[in-house]
Amino acid sequence: MSPSNNNNNNNNNNNNNNNNNNNNNNNNNNNNNPNRKDIWGYTFDWTPSHPTATDLHPLTLSYDKLTNDCLDEFDALGLTSSLSSPFSNPSSRSQINQCPLHHQTHDFLHLLQTHHHQSPSLSTLWTHLTTIPPWVSFPSIARGQAVFYRYVGPAITSLTFHSLLGGMASARVVETLARTRGFGTRVARRRLLETFQHILDVTEGVGSMMPGISGGDGGRGWKSTVRVRFLHGMVRRRIMSLGLAAAQKEKEGGKGGGGGGGGGGRGRYWDTEKWGLPINDLDSIATIASFSSALIWMGLPRQGIFLTSQEIDDYLALWRYVAYLIGVPDTITLASSGQKITPFGSAQEAKMVMESIALSELSHPSETSAVLANNIIASLANQPPLRSSESFLRAQAYWLNGGSLCKTLHIPKPGVWYTMLVISQCLFFMVFCYSRQAHYLVVKWVPWGNGKSDEGEEVVTGEERCKRVRRWMRSVVVEMAGGKEAEFGFEWVPEWGKYTGSERGKEEEGEHEKEMGKGRKQKGWGDWIASRNGGSEFRSLKAFLVASTVMGFLVCIGVRGLLLGMILLFRRYS
């Protein structure tokens, strides 16, 4: 009786939420195209070359072992100190969390540069990082960096509200993020600013991606990427050690596997069978895809921006090299066919991998997915420099991810007014970005545009303008982050019994939210404009007014011309 009722309820939920692959397949069959797939409003044709969920699953059990080995080697050489076990006293949870946290103050890049000759693992990693693969083209990377700044407005919007917030639909990935506690409403904004600083580093200029060889320190983007690689290794090792210790404690009959393990009452601290290994190869590929492929084929098109084939190739070339430095496998072998795929080697492969990951990883968001997604919006609301309201941020999330996903993530639906503001923002982006794209194409191809050097090699156009934008954005981001550059240290440390949850209504926001709510009720249009002036919401309002005025003017001219034409025709034939 109960199983039957449960099945009926599940079927109803699937039909209502469009949150099940079987339901997607039914919709596809109704369209007379069984190969047509739909994932939260993004549709594509499935081909035999697409990696299946079975092909992707082994990637959840593999990871950047070389970096973990190097971290162990640093400890063995006495260069760092870490806990051999996360439990100093298995009977005392308070002592567990009071243990000194390992690797807080070390610059692992500096240690690697200095001591890489002392260990085979360190030497192997150093050789990997300082060897430029034959497929790397720095002119292409430079053009890819310019692509980001050519479309910087819609790119930032897409990365924030589609790649990051929409990426929270991955029930596996959010388990790692929740344990780092870097996505609570108090800290999520600073955590996002650190990620954005890394993006600024890797797009700073072609010199920023040069490796530290021949006694040099390397470019800023290269150094930041290597530090992020070590950061991922530290988080991975910490979670794995906590999971192993919890499992051992559970076997010994202790209380380690109880509900305080940080998983909202889960029996284990980390369930490898369910979530794979933390920060595994599939997670790493998906992360790079969210910065590159998802931006190209999802985020930008939903704002009316479409890149040229050359821009796509150049932008992928940049992120393929970033993926190589950060420890992402450059090629993967499909278990079903033995076919080898380079996730970011070509536009076709990158698009297929993105679609396969989206279909297999984003179909079933969890409650934790909803919590983190809403925490992101809460942390960004009414904050400088954009000073956007929560309603406007939610409208952007709905526009870029679709209503079905946002409803599944429990994001409140915004009003029609805020949706109109988002549409106006997209129109503003289209006018601004396409004018710059046209300028780029003219300068590139006309004989007098200086789009090529004397030797015939293509150069980046608008470089000085990109430099100005880079300097301005870096100064703003660093200022908002507290006035210092991100060091990508081990700040968000997984701890036993700690887990990111919804902080709405708790001490962090309780009374403050009530006061803010009252304040908003008392505000008039003048106060609203004053508080939003200079931000994206007010800019969208101005774009809406300008677009409405232009459309009204054109309609008036069209109606007047139509009436005059009818009058002339009437006079002629009367």
Side-chain angles (χ1 to χ4, degrees):
M1 190 74 174
S2 296
S4 176
N5 291 334
N6 289 334
N7 289 333
N8 291 332
N9 290 333
N10 289 333
N11 289 333
N12 290 332
N13 289 334
N14 291 335
N15 289 331
N16 292 331
N17 296 327
N18 292 323
N19 194 25
N20 190 281
N21 286 338
N22 292 332
N23 188 60
N24 289 333
N25 289 334
N26 290 335
N27 291 336
N28 295 332
N29 290 330
N30 291 336
N31 293 331
N32 298 321
N33 187 357
N35 292 323
R36 194 70 172 169
K37 303 295 181 182
D38 181 287
I39 178 68
W40 305 119
Y42 176 81
T43 58
F44 64 96
D45 290 323
W46 184 268
T47 68
S49 299
H50 277 79
T52 64
T54 303
D55 293 325
L56 297 177
H57 178 70
L59 296 173
T60 65
L61 302 176
S62 61
Y63 64 99
D64 179 17
K65 188 175 183 298
L66 180 58
T67 300
N68 277 36
D69 291 341
C70 289
L71 292 173
D72 293 336
E73 199 65 39
F74 287 138
D75 292 340
L77 293 173
L79 302 174
T80 59
S81 59
S82 68
L83 304 176
S84 59
S85 168
F87 297 97
S88 60
N89 183 348
S91 64
S92 174
R93 179 178 300 166
S94 62
Q95 291 186 20
I96 291 172
N97 289 332
Q98 290 173 2
C99 292
L101 297 174
H102 56 309
H103 301 323
Q104 279 191 297
T105 59
H106 300 295
D107 184 350
F108 288 96
L109 174 58
H110 176 72
L111 292 177
L112 182 64
Q113 286 177 312
T114 307
H115 302 280
H116 63 84
H117 59 279
Q118 298 182 17
S119 162
S121 297
L122 300 179
S123 178
T124 300
L125 179 58
W126 180 252
T127 301
H128 173 84
L129 294 172
T130 56
T131 300
I132 301 175
W135 43 261
V136 170
S137 169
F138 283 107
S140 183
I141 287 176
R143 295 192 299 270
Q145 293 169 327
V147 168
F148 176 77
Y149 290 99
R150 193 173 302 134
Y151 307 99
V152 65
I156 294 174
T157 303
S158 174
L159 291 173
T160 303
F161 296 100
H162 180 262
S163 298
L164 178 65
L165 190 148
M168 294 299 167
S170 174
R172 288 191 317 96
V173 171
V174 295
E175 293 299 329
T176 299
L177 299 178
R179 282 163 176 75
T180 65
R181 296 172 295 116
F183 283 91
T185 53
R186 276 185 176 179
V187 298
R189 179 171 174 268
R190 186 156 58 92
R191 171 70 176 78
L192 299 181
L193 289 174
E194 290 181 356
T195 300
F196 190 54
Q197 283 194 51
H198 180 236
I199 296 175
L200 293 180
D201 288 343
V202 301
T203 58
E204 187 174 74
V206 67
S208 70
M209 297 305 295
M210 292 294 183
I213 55 178
S214 302
D217 290 335
R220 176 178 284 176
W222 181 84
K223 292 189 290 187
S224 294
T225 305
V226 175
R227 290 190 174 108
V228 171
R229 180 172 183 169
F230 277 114
L231 174 60
H232 289 173
M234 289 185 286
V235 173
R236 182 192 307 114
R237 189 165 70 152
R238 176 71 174 175
I239 293 178
M240 291 172 67
S241 64
L242 285 170
L244 290 173
Q248 181 181 359
K249 202 174 173 189
E250 186 178 7
K251 288 181 181 179
E252 294 172 355
K255 298 180 180 180
R266 295 172 174 83
R268 303 177 185 176
Y269 180 80
W270 184 263
D271 191 339
T272 303
E273 294 182 1
K274 185 176 182 181
W275 304 316
L277 294 171
I279 313 184
N280 53 61
D281 286 338
L282 183 60
D283 296 340
S284 299
I285 293 173
T287 299
I288 299 298
S290 69
F291 287 111
S292 56
S293 309
L295 181 72
I296 294 170
W297 287 291
M298 291 183 176
L300 291 181
R302 289 177 178 179
Q303 298 175 84
I305 305 297
F306 297 88
L307 305 187
T308 65
S309 58
Q310 182 65 57
E311 289 175 326
I312 291 174
D313 292 339
D314 292 335
Y315 194 66
L316 288 175
L318 166 65
W319 285 102
R320 183 183 180 185
Y321 186 42
V322 174
Y324 170 84
L325 294 175
I326 215 168
V328 176
D330 189 56
T331 59
I332 58 176
T333 303
L334 305 185
S336 59
S337 63
Q339 176 187 359
K340 288 188 176 182
I341 289 182
T342 304
F344 308 103
S346 66
Q348 181 181 5
E349 290 175 307
K351 190 170 184 287
M352 285 194 305
V353 170
M354 176 202 72
E355 291 168 345
S356 295
I357 291 178
L359 192 62
S360 65
E361 295 294 307
L362 304 182
S363 298
H364 304 282
S366 63
E367 287 300 316
T368 304
S369 300
V371 168
L372 298 193
N374 281 278
N375 283 354
I376 291 173
I377 292 178
S379 70
L380 297 177
N382 304 303
Q383 296 294 323
L386 300 180
R387 297 186 291 277
S388 300
S389 65
E390 282 198 40
S391 296
F392 185 62
L393 300 181
R394 291 167 182 160
Q396 293 184 79
Y398 266 76
W399 186 265
L400 289 171
N401 298 290
S404 297
L405 176 57
C406 288
K407 290 176 183 176
T408 304
L409 294 175
H410 309 316
I411 299 175
K413 187 175 182 179
V416 176
W417 165 249
Y418 291 98
T419 302
M420 294 298 296
L421 288 181
V422 173
I423 295 175
S424 301
Q425 176 176 268
C426 293
L427 292 174
F428 172 81
F429 285 154
M430 290 172 66
V431 172
F432 183 77
C433 293
Y434 280 130
S435 63
R436 296 189 65 177
Q437 186 185 67
H439 175 265
Y440 163 73
L441 293 175
V442 169
V443 172
K444 176 182 176 182
W445 293 113
V446 299
W448 57 88
N450 294 325
K452 295 182 180 295
S453 64
D454 294 337
E455 292 77 17
E457 182 180 358
E458 186 177 336
V459 296
V460 179
T461 59
E463 187 172 354
E464 288 301 320
R465 180 167 47 197
C466 287
K467 288 181 179 179
R468 291 195 298 269
V469 175
R470 288 168 187 156
R471 287 194 295 267
W472 176 80
M473 294 183 67
R474 180 171 294 279
S475 64
V476 170
V477 171
V478 171
E479 180 181 353
M480 290 191 298
K484 66 176 183 178
E485 297 277 352
E487 298 177 352
F488 307 106
F490 197 16
E491 183 175 0
W492 317 108
V493 184
E495 294 184 29
W496 181 258
K498 300 294 181 67
Y499 191 82
T500 302
S502 177
E503 297 165 353
R504 285 290 189 180
K506 295 186 179 180
E507 58 181 359
E508 178 176 318
E509 298 185 53
E511 295 301 323
H512 175 69
E513 282 295 315
K514 294 179 182 178
E515 294 176 3
M516 290 295 291
K518 294 178 182 178
R520 280 192 286 265
K521 291 179 182 178
Q522 296 172 358
K523 285 184 178 181
W525 276 100
D527 295 326
W528 183 89
I529 293 175
S531 64
R532 302 284 183 257
N533 187 27
S536 62
E537 197 168 346
F538 189 65
R539 181 197 61 207
S540 299
L541 173 61
K542 292 188 288 186
F544 174 76
L545 295 176
V546 170
S548 300
T549 302
V550 172
M551 288 296 295
F553 181 71
L554 293 176
V555 168
C556 289
I557 292 178
V559 171
R560 184 179 178 182
L562 180 62
L563 291 176
L564 289 175
M566 293 177 63
I567 292 174
L568 291 175
L569 288 174
F570 178 77
R571 288 179 177 178
R572 180 176 181 179
Y573 293 103
S574 61

